[in-house]
Amino acid sequence: MNWETISSLATAGGTLVLAVATFASVRSANRAARTSEAAARIAERSLMAGLRPVLVTSRLQDARQKTQFQEGNYLTVDGGRAAFELTADVVYMAMSLRNVGTGLGVLHGWHMCAGGQFERVHPPLEDFTDQVRDIFLAPDDTGAWSGAFRDPAAPAFQLAAAAIKDGRQLTMHLLYGDFEGGQRMITQFNIRRAGESWLTSAARHYNVDRPEPRAAPPGQNYPASPAPDDQDQDASG
């Protein structure tokens, strides 16, 4: 074997070693990048979990809440319950809530209808009534939602008033998110008459930013409700 052959083999061997080293380096870098991306996703999810509110019905032993409406009226509601007051012009509503999540909850809107909701669907977001002002619920604390119907000629007013007078079941959907306006959720509450009280229970939670569970088409798969223009709410709800 002459020196030219030895030199060529040495060069080839060096090139092979360099290629193997480069491949190993690139593979290690890709693995580190994937690890870094996974760590970033985990960190982001951990951060979001720390901001996430989860609203449920409050406990029966929780303190009584008191909320004021724009007319100056007050409505008190006990733990684990809803409260209603009917007048000729207004249907006042309130519900006691507890935030069992780790983040501050901000209520954005509501949708109430007569009857029970059994399909795993929620009303379309455009059917929700916006809160006139945000309602805040601190983590691991209680608060009260409030709202009102104010147009006696509207179907919403008439349906709500008739159901409350008859003591029939009601379904309430509350739309809320974290204090940054993200992580939007809908919690469905069932409201049933029990003697002189209205007991509430959190039935389902929907992640608004995920395609499932789907939103029901208007007037289908959830109790019939009027268009948003027929609804009104008070200064606090």
Side-chain angles (χ1 to χ4, degrees):
M1 182 180 295
N2 56 36
W3 286 107
E4 290 182 359
T5 302
I6 294 173
S7 177
S8 297
L9 291 174
T11 301
T15 302
L16 177 62
V17 171
L18 180 60
V20 171
T22 301
F23 174 78
S25 177
V26 170
R27 187 174 183 182
S28 177
N30 289 340
R31 185 182 301 112
R34 289 195 298 269
T35 302
S36 177
E37 290 174 2
R41 287 195 298 270
I42 292 173
E44 181 181 10
R45 293 190 66 178
S46 297
L47 175 62
M48 297 303 288
L51 301 176
R52 182 177 298 120
V54 180
L55 303 188
V56 298
T57 186
S58 61
R59 298 171 296 195
L60 294 176
Q61 64 268 31
D62 282 334
R64 175 177 291 181
Q65 304 286 324
K66 188 175 184 179
T67 183
Q68 185 179 19
F69 295 84
Q70 64 187 36
E71 294 86 357
N73 300 36
Y74 286 92
L75 195 59
T76 58
V77 58
D78 293 321
R81 297 172 175 85
F84 303 99
E85 181 180 340
L86 305 180
T87 71
D89 300 316
V90 186
V91 175
Y92 296 106
M93 304 174 289
M95 184 166 58
S96 181
L97 302 171
R98 174 174 284 275
N99 182 3
V100 297
T102 53
L104 177 68
V106 184
L107 281 160
H108 301 305
W110 56 275
H111 181 284
M112 196 202 80
C113 50
Q117 167 61 48
F118 304 106
E119 298 287 338
R120 190 169 181 80
V121 291
H122 63 78
L125 295 183
E126 57 267 24
D127 283 5
F128 279 72
T129 298
D130 292 335
Q131 301 289 153
V132 170
R133 67 178 185 183
D134 292 337
I135 298 177
F136 302 90
L137 279 86
D140 194 27
D141 201 359
T142 57
W145 166 85
S146 59
F149 295 104
R150 287 193 168 81
D151 182 2
F157 186 106
Q158 297 167 8
L159 290 171
I164 293 168
K165 287 178 180 177
D166 296 341
R168 288 186 279 122
Q169 181 177 342
L170 303 166
T171 300
M172 176 69 71
H173 291 86
L174 295 183
L175 173 65
Y176 59 95
D178 59 34
F179 72 93
E180 290 190 327
Q183 304 192 95
R184 295 181 303 164
M185 297 285 292
I186 294 173
T187 297
Q188 174 189 323
F189 295 89
N190 296 332
I191 306 174
R192 290 184 173 89
R193 185 71 177 267
E196 297 301 317
S197 299
W198 291 87
L199 299 181
T200 63
S201 60
R204 292 191 177 97
H205 298 280
Y206 303 100
N207 188 328
V208 175
D209 299 320
R210 291 180 182 173
E212 296 293 340
R214 64 185 177 84
Q220 299 180 23
N221 298 321
Y222 63 95
S225 61
D229 291 343
D230 293 329
Q231 304 187 40
D232 191 13
Q233 65 286 323
D234 60 71
S236 60

